[in-house]
Amino acid sequence: MNVQFKKGVLELCVLALLDKKDRYGYELVQKISDQIAISEGSVYPLLRRLTKEEYFTTYLQESSEGPSRKYYKLTDRGREYLHELIHEWQEFSNGVNQLIKEGVFND
C-alpha cells in the first residue's frame, strides 16, 4: 500500500482504537498491523506527539509479562479531535470513491 496513504490515516486509526479502551503502544501497533502493514517505528513518534498535544494522557500499569507498560488514554479533547477526523475521513473517502466510480466504472 502507498506509504502516504498509511501516514495520512495512521493518526485516525490510533485515535479510533483508543476511543473505547486504553491501550499500550505495542498493542496499538499489533491491532493496526492486523489490518494495515505498518512499521512499529511509525506509531511511537505519533503517540508522543498526540500526547504532547493533550489528546492522550498516559499511565504505567504493571504487566505479568515483564516491565510496566505505558498505557494511552484518550482525553475529552482527543475524543473531539477523533470525531473531527472521522467526519473529514468520511467526506474525503466519499469524494475519492465518487471519482473512482465516475472515472473507472463509468460506462
Side-chain angles (χ1 to χ4, degrees), residues 50-104:
L50 293 174
T51 301
K52 186 176 180 182
E53 293 173 358
E54 299 179 348
Y55 295 132
F56 307 143
T57 57
T58 62
Y59 61 91
L60 291 177
Q61 186 168 319
E62 288 194 26
S63 168
S64 60
E65 301 171 10
S68 296
R69 293 178 173 156
K70 182 189 232 180
Y71 278 78
Y72 295 85
K73 178 180 180 65
L74 202 59
T75 61
D76 289 340
R77 180 178 176 167
R79 194 160 279 109
E80 287 175 20
Y81 182 54
L82 167 61
H83 291 289
E84 289 173 23
L85 288 180
I86 289 170
H87 179 73
E88 289 176 11
W89 173 258
Q90 289 170 335
E91 285 186 350
F92 176 77
S93 60
N94 287 341
V96 170
N97 288 335
Q98 185 61 38
L99 291 170
I100 290 170
K101 183 178 169 185
E102 288 178 24
V104 177

